[in-house]
Amino acid sequence: MLTDRHEANMGHNSETLQSRALSEQEAAQYICMSRSFLRQSRMDGKRDSRTPAPPFIKIGRAVRYLREDLDRWLDEQQKLDHLGQLGL
């Protein structure tokens, strides 16, 4: 029989694991982008005129995003002071 303390520790460990691997919906919220952006960029791959997809992993049929990969992806995006820098 599990004690309350043991059950609490197990819950804490599973919460830690769940918070590292984010679902598509959680990842979209985390990076403040839409789920459709994640899907489309994942399907299109790298294209010249598109923002590249953040790294993802597949576990069976499930798509997951690791929090540290999303942080790195955000840091790698072009930082602008104004839109004139885009040369449009």
Side-chain angles (χ1 to χ4, degrees), residues 1-2 4 9 25 31 33 38 45-46 75:
M1 178 172 233
L2 297 174
D4 289 337
N9 286 339
Q25 182 174 351
I31 64 171
M33 299 292 284
L38 290 176
K46 190 171 185 175
D75 289 340

Side-chain angles (χ1 to χ4, degrees), residues 11 18 21 24-25 33 35 41 44 48 53-54 57 63 65 68 70 76 83:
Q18 288 175 359
E24 182 183 80
Q25 182 174 351
M33 299 292 284
R35 290 176 69 186
S41 62
D44 287 347
D48 289 337
I57 58 175
V63 173
Y65 294 86
E68 59 266 25
L70 294 174
E76 291 169 355
L83 290 177

Side-chain angles (χ1 to χ4, degrees), residues 19-59:
S19 66
R20 181 173 179 231
L22 304 175
S23 68
E24 182 183 80
Q25 182 174 351
E26 292 167 329
Q29 290 174 340
Y30 186 76
I31 64 171
C32 300
M33 299 292 284
S34 67
R35 290 176 69 186
S36 63
F37 164 77
L38 290 176
R39 278 193 209 116
Q40 192 67 40
S41 62
R42 204 170 53 235
M43 297 299 170
D44 287 347
K46 190 171 185 175
R47 294 175 68 182
D48 289 337
S49 62
R50 301 263 175 111
T51 301
F56 63 94
I57 58 175
K58 290 274 289 179
I59 303 171

